Structures are given as C-alpha cells and as structure tokens.
C-alpha cells in the first residue's frame, strides 16, 4: 500500500474481492474523537467535571465561546445566501440556470450549505452525497465526518478515488450490532458487511456492486466534450493539517476552528469560576472581637446554659465565629472583605482577547463602534474575521464548485444536454456591517467608470445583480411607453393591438371626428 499508487492498489483489491485495507482505514478513522468539540459547542466543557472541595463553593461556570466562534464564523460567510449566477450569455443558458436553481431549491440548498459550513468548522471536514431517488429526482444530502472516509490517490494531483461510509445496524432479534460499509468509487457502489473480523460482500442484495450513474462533462485536450464517471461525493475540508503533506494512506485530515483553542477556553472557564467562588466564599461578613475579657463575658450555649469555663468560652466563640451567628453588643465588629480582583479581571480580559484574536472573532464594544462608524473603521474591526473568512471561502468554494460540476453532470444525463458547469459563478456575500449611505455614495461616483451590473454587485442588499439590472431596464421601458402614451395617445404600435387588426376596412382613411383627436 505504501509503495504502489493507491488507485491501482484499490482496483487490484476490488477485483480480487479483498477488503482488508478498508477495515484498516476504518480502524484508524475510529481513533479520531469528533465528539469533544461538538460537546464544547453544546456547552459541555471540562469545567463541569471539576471536583468539589469540602467547605468551599463549587460553582462551575461555562463561558461558551465555542458556540460564539462557530456561530460567527459560519454566519459571517453563509447567513447571506450563496449566489449561483451565469457568467455567459448564450442559447440555453437560461434553461440551464432554471433547472439548476430548481434542484438547489428542492434540496433546500441555503440551509444545507449553512449546515455544511457549520459542521465542517466544528469537525474539520464534512461530506455531501449526490444521487437519483426512486422518482429520478436529483438529491443531495450531508454526512458527518465521523461516518465517512475520503480516500485520495497518493499522486501529486491527489485525485479522489473513493469514499467509504460505515455505520452500525442492530439486529433486534439477536441483540447484536453489525458493521455496514458502503464503498463509492467512480463507477459503482459496493456494499459490505462484517463477518467476524473481516468484511465481505453483502449477498442479501440482488445487485452488488451497483452502478450509480453519476457522470460529469469534461473537455479533452482537443476541446471535445465527453462524459466521465465521477465519485458522487464532495469532501469539504475546513483547514488541512500541514503535517499531512507527506501521506501514504490516502487520507487528508482537516482541522476545525476550535481544534487549537481548547486550552484557552478551559483557562477562561477556570478563571471566571475561581472568581465567582471567591466572591461567594467571602460574601458573609465575619465578626471581629476586640479586647474581650473572657472572665466578664457572659455566654450561653445552644441549650441556654451559662458557660463559666474560660476554655469552653474560647471553643464556643471559635465555633460560632465560623457560622457568623454571634453578636455581643459593641464588642462585635463586622468585617467587609476588600477583594483585590483587578489582577483577576485583567487576566480574564487578556485571555478573552487572545481567544477571539486567534479565532478571528471580533470583540465588539460600544467604544469601538460608536454611533455610525465609517466603512474603513468597520473593516479594521473585522480585519481578523476577513482573513479567516477569505480562507474558509476559498476552501468551501472548491467544494461548492464540485457540487455544481456533479449536479450539472446529473442534469445533462437527465435532460440529454451538454451544459458546462463552468458557465456558473459561485459568489459568497459576507455578512459585514456596512455604512449604506457611504456605500451608495461610492456606487454613485462610479457611474461611467464601471458597468451598471458591477455597481449593483457592490451593494450588499442586491442578491442577483443581473436580475436586478434586467428589472430596471424593464421598468424603464414601461415608463417610456407610459410617457409616450401621455404625449400621443394615438401612437399605438401594431404589436400592441390586442385584436391584431391592421385597420378597419370601413375606415375611410382620415375622416375622424375632430373630438377624437383630443
């Protein structure tokens, strides 16, 4: 496996019906713990397992920055819908975009894309599967990283050669769990099941392996179009681990946005919890006894008996002091504790700033944003967020382009067309706060410098610049016709005549009454 190109190794083992290498990859994949960061996002932090110390408060405060980081990072690039727009004007492009948009709408692409980016940001990778359902409709669905393995060839190109999906099914009669494995390659889906320690073909299926019928349209070196089989999956990688540069098992590991932030989040939870515990410990005022003469002091125990022994008086005072339940006239002085917590506050703030800086999450405060910050001020505040967003858009953009490539191939197969997926552009629209007055002023000053459609694309509230431009032109044409009708009501185009008549055969050519011309 280490000395042979993995694609050749895969084909040889598949031909020989040998699946030991799949078992090895699954065993290695199971060693990854995807649950830890998911628990942190849900608020299940290590601080909740803190041991209790006798006689001391045991608060367990979770400051859930994990959720804040994931929510912000996802919403910043995906809360505004991702745009899929045509970049050419040619015959058939409108039909192509209409069919593609119908598939995206049927599969609730907006919600699906948001969840893909969110889950990929937590786990470091996520998968999307494409298939024809029983009615011949094109479908796509998400699968989490803990049940799928992407296998790449070990060449420089790192071509995706297979996706392995595995899961467990429980036999209710025998109360046993069995491992089910599905191996997807460019042509077929092979279904495996576990028997003992090995994987074998699932003989309960009538056809196994089964062709998935998913292809894409490609151009060869001569520019000729041809159908090519493809693995019907997209593997989204949030961030690649750099130590994966030299790999020999075909796996590419991704990193989530929280992978290197756990210690910082734990430190913040401990610091905040410690501060709350100290405040609770010293919240009750203590009593200081000044210059007490134990011989003259009259003390009574809980049963109302007079205490005369000096040593017993000391013991009683010590006991009641701990519970702050004794007052003895002017001899008792309450003490207010002065908790010097400036250092703790600064430490907590420094930890929070470090966490947000490393995660690219803005720490917005009133003194930063003011009443109406300029566009430049907002860009400075969101500088680290923009760097992170640029990296994420580049990574997920690869996956979305592959999504359009596969969906286009499926549309071509369904409608017998030869549409080119490269005719579609994918655009993210960052959810960056903008000064609209300033932005509109900039767009206005660009009149004559750039096209109308390019100016519309600069405005954040315009989702589809081309459609907006077409709508403006249609409104202008309608307004022009209305003005012409006001100036000359008799100036009606032949095409506007609902009856389609060129004229009245009884019309003598010009003897209209004078009143009709008014």
């Amino acid at each position: 496996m280490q000395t042979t190109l993995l694609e050749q190794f895969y084909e040889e083992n598949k031909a020989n019906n040998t699946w030991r290498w799949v078992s090895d990859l699954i065993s290695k994949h199971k060693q990854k713990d995807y649950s830890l960061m998911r628990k942190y996002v849900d608020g299940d932090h290590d601080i909740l397992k803190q041991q209790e110390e006798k006689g001391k408060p045991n608060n367990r405060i979770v400051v859930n920055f994990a959720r804040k980081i994931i929510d912000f990072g996802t919403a910043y690039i995906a809360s505004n819908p991702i745009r899929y727009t045509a970049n050419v004007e040619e015959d058939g492009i409108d039909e192509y975009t209409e069919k593609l948009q119908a598939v995206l709408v049927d599969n609730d692409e907006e919600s699906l894309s948001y969840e893909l980016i969110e889950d990929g940001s937590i786990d470091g990778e996520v998968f999307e599967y494409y298939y024809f359902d029983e009615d011949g409709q094109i479908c796509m669905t998400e699968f989490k990283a803990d049940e799928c393995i992407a296998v790449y060839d070990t060449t420089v190109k790192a071509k995706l050669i297979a996706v392995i999906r595995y899961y467990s099914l429980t036999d209710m009669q025998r109360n046993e769990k069995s491992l089910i494995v599905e191996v997807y390659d460019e042509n077929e889906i092979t279904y495996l099941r576990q028997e003992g320690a090995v994987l074998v073909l699932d003989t309960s299926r009538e056809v196994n392996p089964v062709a998935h019928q998913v292809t894409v349209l490609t151009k060869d070196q001569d520019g000729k179009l041809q159908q090519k089989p493809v693995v019907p999956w997209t593997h989204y990688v949030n961030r690649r681990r750099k130590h994966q540069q030299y790999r020999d098992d075909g796996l590419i590991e991704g990193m989530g946005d929280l992978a290197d932030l756990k210690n910082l989040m734990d430190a913040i939870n401990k610091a905040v919890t410690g501060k709350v515990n100290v405040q609770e410990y010293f919240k009750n005022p203590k009593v200081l006894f000044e210059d007490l003469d134990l011989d003259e002091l009259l003390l009574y125990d809980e049963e109302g008996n007079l205490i005369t022994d000096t040593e017993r008086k000391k013991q009683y005072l010590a006991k009641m002091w701990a519970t702050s339940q004794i007052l003895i006239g002017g001899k008792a002085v309450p003490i207010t504790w002065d908790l010097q917590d400036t250092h703790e506050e600064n430490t907590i703030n420094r930890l929070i700033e470090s966490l947000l800086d490393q995660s690219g999450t803005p720490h917005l405060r009133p003194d930063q944003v003011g009443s109406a910050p300029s566009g430049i001020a907002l860009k400075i505040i969101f500088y680290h967020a923009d760097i992170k967003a640029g990296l994420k858009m580049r990574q997920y953009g690869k996956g979305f382009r592959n999504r359009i490539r596969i969906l286009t191939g499926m549309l071509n197969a369904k409608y017998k067309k030869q549409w080119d997926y490269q005719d579609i552009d994918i655009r993210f629209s960052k959810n960056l706060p903008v000064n609209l007055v300033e932005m509109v002023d900039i767009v206005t000053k660009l009149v004559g410098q750039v096209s109308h459609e390019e100016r519309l694309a600069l405005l954040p509230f315009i989702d589809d610049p081309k459609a907006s431009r077409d709508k403006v032109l249609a409104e202008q044409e309608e307004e022009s016709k209305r003005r012409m009708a006001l100036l000359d009501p008799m100036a009606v185009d032949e095409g506007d005549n609902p009856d389609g008549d060129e004229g009245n055969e009884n019309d003598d050519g010009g003897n209209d009454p004078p009143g009709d011309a008014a």
Side-chain angles (χ1 to χ4, degrees):
M1 185 171 180
Q2 297 180 359
T3 59
T4 309
L5 293 182
L6 198 58
E7 185 172 15
Q8 180 182 349
F9 176 88
Y10 170 77
E11 295 296 342
E12 291 176 354
N13 278 266
K14 181 179 178 182
N16 296 327
N17 196 21
T18 304
W19 304 102
R20 173 63 183 273
W21 67 278
V22 175
S23 298
D24 293 342
L25 288 181
I26 291 175
S27 298
K28 183 176 181 179
H29 187 257
K30 285 183 175 180
Q31 296 175 8
K32 302 178 184 178
D33 184 8
Y34 292 100
S35 64
L36 179 60
M37 288 299 102
R38 294 177 187 178
K39 289 179 179 178
Y40 264 59
V41 172
D42 291 337
D44 186 6
H45 293 211
D46 286 353
I47 192 68
L48 297 176
K49 304 177 182 66
Q50 176 179 267
Q51 296 296 321
E52 182 176 0
E53 295 185 37
K54 187 176 181 180
K56 292 185 178 181
N58 189 34
N59 293 288
R60 302 168 186 180
I61 309 300
V62 173
V63 186
N64 197 357
F65 278 105
R67 169 55 67 184
K68 176 183 177 70
I69 292 169
I70 294 298
D71 283 350
F72 175 82
T74 305
Y76 191 52
I77 65 173
S79 61
N80 293 330
I82 299 170
R83 303 173 183 172
Y84 303 91
T85 57
N87 55 29
V88 296
E89 294 184 5
E90 57 185 26
D91 293 340
I93 191 66
D94 290 337
E95 181 186 4
Y96 170 36
T97 55
E98 180 182 345
K99 297 293 186 184
L100 179 61
Q101 289 292 343
V103 172
L104 297 176
V105 170
D106 288 344
N107 288 276
D108 194 11
E109 179 272 335
E110 290 185 17
S111 298
L112 179 60
S113 296
Y114 191 96
E115 291 174 3
L116 282 168
I117 296 176
E118 181 181 48
D119 292 334
S121 299
I122 298 171
D123 295 335
E125 52 189 320
V126 68
F127 292 78
E128 189 171 52
Y129 172 52
Y130 314 95
Y131 62 99
F132 291 100
D133 66 9
E134 60 275 6
D135 298 323
Q137 300 301 314
I138 299 173
C139 302
M140 53 186 185
T141 187
E142 176 197 355
F143 285 97
K144 299 287 186 67
D146 56 355
E147 59 179 321
C148 295
I149 306 171
V151 184
Y152 292 85
D153 191 11
T154 49
T155 58
V156 175
K157 190 176 181 180
K159 168 189 170 185
L160 180 65
I161 60 175
V163 169
I164 301 168
R165 180 182 174 231
Y166 66 95
Y167 53 95
S168 295
L169 289 182
T170 303
D171 187 337
M172 301 302 294
Q173 294 180 349
R174 293 185 293 180
N175 195 24
E176 294 180 354
K177 282 189 176 181
S178 58
L179 181 66
I180 305 297
V181 179
E182 302 166 359
V183 182
Y184 298 76
D185 59 25
E186 290 183 341
N187 298 291
E188 299 171 321
I189 309 171
T190 305
Y191 297 93
L192 308 174
R193 59 184 176 83
Q194 189 174 28
E195 281 191 2
V198 298
L199 293 174
V200 298
L201 283 176
D202 187 352
T203 56
S204 64
R205 294 179 176 271
E206 295 182 4
V207 180
N208 188 17
V210 58
H212 54 64
Q213 307 296 338
V214 176
T215 60
V216 297
L217 194 67
T218 61
K219 294 180 181 179
D220 59 19
Q221 294 181 349
D222 298 328
K224 296 181 179 179
L225 296 173
Q226 58 184 359
Q227 291 291 338
K228 177 185 176 184
V230 65
V231 181
W233 289 78
T234 293
H235 179 213
Y236 298 88
V237 180
N238 187 63
R239 286 187 296 167
R240 283 189 61 173
R241 291 187 182 273
K242 296 304 180 184
H243 70 261
Q244 281 281 301
Q245 182 178 1
Y246 303 102
R247 55 190 174 79
D248 57 11
D249 56 6
L251 302 183
I252 293 179
E253 293 186 8
M255 288 183 62
D257 292 350
L258 308 174
D260 50 355
L261 300 176
K262 179 180 180 298
N263 291 337
L264 264 175
M265 291 187 287
D266 288 340
I268 293 172
N269 290 337
K270 289 179 180 179
V272 173
T273 297
K275 185 172 170 31
V276 172
N277 284 341
V278 169
Q279 290 178 339
E280 181 175 329
Y281 185 74
F282 293 114
K283 69 179 181 180
N284 294 324
K286 300 296 180 179
V287 178
L288 176 65
F289 299 98
E290 296 179 341
D291 301 327
L292 290 178
D293 187 346
L294 294 179
D295 293 331
E296 296 181 359
L297 184 62
L298 297 178
L299 285 179
Y300 297 88
D301 60 18
E302 295 88 342
E303 298 176 357
N305 299 319
L306 180 64
I307 302 175
T308 57
D309 183 68
T310 303
E311 191 62 31
R312 283 191 59 202
K313 287 183 179 181
K314 290 180 181 180
Q315 294 175 359
Y316 180 76
L317 287 174
K319 174 183 175 181
M320 301 311 292
W321 183 325
T323 59
S324 302
Q325 294 176 356
I326 183 170
L327 293 176
I328 311 175
K331 300 290 184 178
V333 181
I335 298 176
T336 302
W337 292 90
D338 183 13
L339 298 177
Q340 299 292 335
D341 61 350
T342 304
H343 173 69
E344 286 79 3
E345 283 288 338
N346 291 338
T347 299
I348 293 172
N349 289 334
R350 284 196 296 269
L351 288 172
I352 291 175
E353 291 291 345
S354 298
L355 176 66
L356 297 179
D357 283 345
Q358 289 191 34
S359 65
T361 306
H363 192 191
L364 300 180
R365 300 188 302 268
D367 61 312
Q368 286 182 309
V369 297
S371 57
S374 67
I376 297 298
L378 287 170
K379 286 185 176 295
I380 292 174
I381 294 172
F382 281 76
Y383 175 73
H384 292 292
D386 276 337
I387 293 176
K388 177 183 175 182
L391 296 174
K392 292 175 77 70
M393 289 188 295
R394 192 171 295 112
Q395 288 296 105
Y396 287 99
K398 295 178 184 177
F400 290 134
R401 281 190 291 275
N402 188 58
R403 167 200 277 178
I404 298 302
R405 171 173 169 258
I406 294 177
L407 292 180
T408 302
M410 298 172 76
L411 286 170
N412 287 336
K414 183 176 181 178
Y415 296 103
K416 310 302 181 185
K417 299 289 186 178
Q418 288 189 340
W419 291 317
D420 187 354
Y421 78 97
Q422 294 181 346
D423 292 341
I424 299 295
D425 281 341
I426 300 172
R427 297 180 182 177
F428 290 87
S429 179
K430 290 185 292 188
N431 191 17
L432 174 68
V434 295
N435 189 324
L436 289 179
V437 176
E438 185 178 78
M439 183 60 68
V440 171
D441 182 60
I442 293 173
V443 171
T444 304
K445 291 178 180 178
L446 290 175
V447 173
Q449 306 298 319
V450 296
S451 70
H452 195 169
E453 189 173 328
E454 290 173 321
R455 296 199 306 274
L456 289 174
L458 296 175
L459 298 174
F461 49 82
I462 301 295
D463 290 333
D464 190 342
K466 184 178 184 302
S468 180
R469 171 63 173 162
D470 293 341
K471 189 175 181 180
V472 169
L473 292 176
E475 290 176 350
Q476 290 176 348
E477 184 178 355
E478 184 179 348
E479 179 65 15
S480 176
K481 289 182 179 179
R482 189 184 70 83
R483 290 177 178 272
M484 288 294 295
L486 290 175
L487 293 174
D488 188 0
M490 299 302 296
V492 180
D493 294 336
E494 293 180 1
D496 294 335
N497 189 341
D499 297 329
D501 298 332
E502 294 183 1
N504 191 333
E505 61 182 8
N506 296 326
D507 192 348
D508 59 6
N511 295 324
D512 294 330
D516 293 343

